[in-house]
Amino acid sequence: MSISKQDVLNALETITVSGEGKNMVDSGAVQNVVTFADEVIVDLKLSTPALHIKKRAEADVKKAIHENVDGNAKVQVNIKIEAPAKPQNPNLIKGKPIKGIQNIVAVASGKGGVGKSTVTANLAVSLSKMGFKVGILDADIYGPSIPIMFDVAMEKPLSVNVEGKSKMKPVENYGIKILSIGFFTQPDQAVIWRGPMAAKALNQLIFDADWGELDFMLIDLPPGTGDIHLSIMQSLPITGAVVVSTPQNVALADARKGVAMFRQENIDVPVLGIIENMSFFTPAELPENKYYIFGKEGAKNLAQDLDVPFLGEVPLVQSIREAGDVGRPAALQTATQIETSFEEITRNVVQETVRRNENLPPTEAIKITTMAGCSAVKK
Ligand SMILES: Nc1ncnc2c1ncn2[C@@H]1O[C@H](COP(=O)(O)OP(=O)(O)OP(=O)(O)O)[C@@H](O)[C@H]1O
Ligand SMILES: [Mg+2]
């Protein structure tokens, strides 16, 4: 008797491809199933080129069919990779390129210490693994931590000549180009910045640097929602912002202020979504247990309340902290729960960026006309 196609589909519904969220039938990863006598051919479409995910998907399909349908079935799995669409910068479409930088995504939080820099670093790595060209601009004037998280704290950007102009060359590690305000300030030296000063310095780091072609530039913003943020946001053509929060009430209150800041009339930067960091703790020796130390699903509920997309959750894991401290972001490791969490978040960020660029005009940089940056005139 021939194997039933429906039985095969039922078996495939038990499998979730890493980072896809839904089971492989509902997510659309299963493109076609053909059965003939004891042979089964499954065509899959995956969006991640990572070899271990392809291998795992193939092994999972064979196992599910052998265990649930027919132990002797001859299973052939064909996998096609279809990388997520590259978000096109509407500026380019309108003929106003921002020097090869397609999308500028600001990472903000409101409250300090909730994991903005950690999320920025891992998001960058995860985007790069998906094949995007990525740069990070560390704009945290109070405590730039990206150089440490990428093990480049001792490096200094070189100067290069581009078409007769001297430009800064971003430092590079793990395929990510990096410029940090920390490369130009002394460690341990408190820097007093006013908004327009910070905005000017960051403008130079973007426009007087040789970034080359970037699909994404991530900006690690300083914590808070003050004058400095207004100036930074108004002076740069930011595609969208993601807001990081822990599920804790005090962090959520500040995240709410963060979203409100982006939505302010004289800023008007689209919020791509909220990422929940330190969502739960799972001890290595009890992998099934989840402890909701900072509360449960707070950021998810906030996203719903504010009507912005929820981009995903990052667990509280010792190795994430350790990886940051030694300068090798945790998402670089393959086949881990951390990699999967960041993959899912990254996929959502890309999707929301594509959606934003399809639906909204480019964000304009605004010329600051007063020191406080409160009254501003569009260019
Ligand atoms: N998911 C996580 N699991 C474990 N440790 C984490 C996690 N996220 C962040 N951390 C740790 O928490 C600390 C604060 O994180 P991070 O520096 O990324 O926060 P931040 O929001 O950028 O802080 P600041 O407001 O000072 O810029 C760091 O030591 C980091 O390693
Ligand atoms: Mg930080």
Side-chain angles (χ1 to χ4, degrees):
M1 205 178 70
S2 184
I3 291 173
S4 131
K5 181 173 169 176
Q6 190 54 50
D7 287 350
V8 173
L9 286 169
N10 292 345
L12 298 180
E13 275 177 2
T14 63
I15 306 170
T16 304
V17 180
S18 177
E20 301 267 341
K22 299 179 190 160
N23 76 65
M24 59 164 55
V25 176
D26 289 344
S27 73
V30 176
Q31 297 277 287
N32 197 17
V33 171
V34 179
T35 58
F36 178 73
D38 63 345
E39 284 182 43
V40 183
I41 301 172
V42 178
D43 292 336
L44 293 183
K45 182 186 81 180
L46 300 182
S47 50
T48 309
L51 188 62
H52 71 276
I53 291 187
K54 271 165 69 178
K55 282 191 176 159
R56 202 186 310 161
E58 182 174 353
D60 285 351
V61 166
K62 288 185 174 168
K63 188 162 169 251
I65 294 173
H66 287 147
E67 283 181 0
N68 300 306
V69 184
D70 184 336
N72 296 317
K74 294 189 192 107
V75 183
Q76 183 187 329
V77 184
N78 302 321
I79 300 181
K80 195 169 86 185
I81 301 296
E82 205 163 272
K86 286 201 175 187
Q88 283 294 318
N89 177 359
N91 279 356
L92 285 183
I93 298 163
K94 293 183 180 210
K96 281 198 293 175
I98 340 173
K99 311 226 168 172
I101 301 171
Q102 296 278 342
N103 295 284
I104 303 184
V105 175
V107 183
S109 69
K111 189 180 180 314
V114 295
K116 255 181 326 303
S117 305
T118 305
V119 167
T120 308
N122 286 290
L123 196 56
V125 164
S126 190
L127 279 166
S128 168
K129 278 190 182 174
M130 285 181 188
F132 294 112
K133 297 192 192 87
V134 190
I136 299 181
L137 177 61
D138 178 4
D140 192 346
I141 44 179
Y142 304 122
S145 39
I146 292 295
I148 293 175
M149 291 183 175
F150 278 83
D151 195 19
V152 292
M154 303 312 285
E155 298 199 24
K156 285 273 173 273
L158 300 172
S159 170
V160 285
N161 195 301
V162 182
E163 292 161 7
K165 278 192 189 154
S166 176
K167 297 216 164 196
M168 272 173 280
K169 191 157 182 60
V171 163
E172 200 169 329
N173 203 3
Y174 315 123
I176 315 290
K177 293 179 179 167
I178 298 163
L179 276 181
S180 169
I181 208 105
F183 291 143
F184 308 95
T185 53
Q186 294 295 320
D188 306 328
Q189 181 193 333
V191 186
I192 311 295
W193 295 81
R194 280 201 311 254
M197 274 165 70
K200 188 159 176 254
L202 294 176
N203 258 282
Q204 284 178 345
L205 292 189
I206 291 192
F207 295 105
D208 296 345
D210 179 28
W211 288 99
E213 297 287 323
L214 292 184
D215 295 308
F216 283 93
M217 168 182 277
L218 305 183
I219 305 191
D220 185 10
L221 288 175
T225 47
D227 160 40
I228 245 159
H229 298 81
L230 281 174
S231 299
I232 294 174
M233 238 76 70
Q234 290 178 326
S235 69
L236 303 176
I238 294 173
T239 313
V242 302
V243 175
V244 180
S245 182
T246 64
Q248 197 182 2
N249 279 341
V250 284
L252 292 168
D254 286 358
R256 192 182 278 274
K257 282 189 214 157
V259 172
M261 169 179 75
F262 291 116
R263 286 179 168 172
Q264 222 167 287
E265 204 188 332
N266 59 345
I267 291 191
D268 202 18
V269 168
V271 177
L272 302 175
I274 294 181
I275 298 174
E276 186 175 270
N277 189 26
M278 310 191 193
S279 297
F280 52 83
F281 170 67
T282 297
E285 61 281 13
L286 293 168
E288 299 305 316
N289 292 25
K290 289 183 176 179
Y291 298 94
Y292 295 90
I293 294 173
F294 295 116
K296 196 173 176 191
E297 296 185 347
K300 199 180 209 169
N301 295 335
L302 178 68
Q304 218 166 29
D305 194 27
L306 296 175
D307 198 22
V308 294
F310 181 66
L311 300 170
E313 46 187 30
V314 183
L316 177 64
V317 183
Q318 187 170 333
S319 61
I320 293 185
R321 198 268 305 150
E322 287 168 350
D325 286 350
V326 299
R328 212 186 134 70
L332 282 168
Q333 283 175 39
T334 51
T336 63
Q337 183 55 41
I338 299 168
E339 184 196 32
T340 309
S341 300
F342 278 107
E343 257 170 16
E344 187 172 336
I345 291 170
T346 305
R347 207 178 300 284
N348 289 334
V349 170
V350 173
Q351 191 180 316
E352 291 307 322
T353 308
V354 171
R355 191 172 308 174
R356 177 251 177 268
N357 289 348
E358 278 169 1
N359 296 326
L360 293 172
T363 310
E364 287 180 54
I366 293 175
K367 206 160 124 200
I368 313 287
T369 52
T370 68
M371 289 305 274
C374 289
S375 149
V377 177
K378 295 228 172 199
K379 262 184 195 162

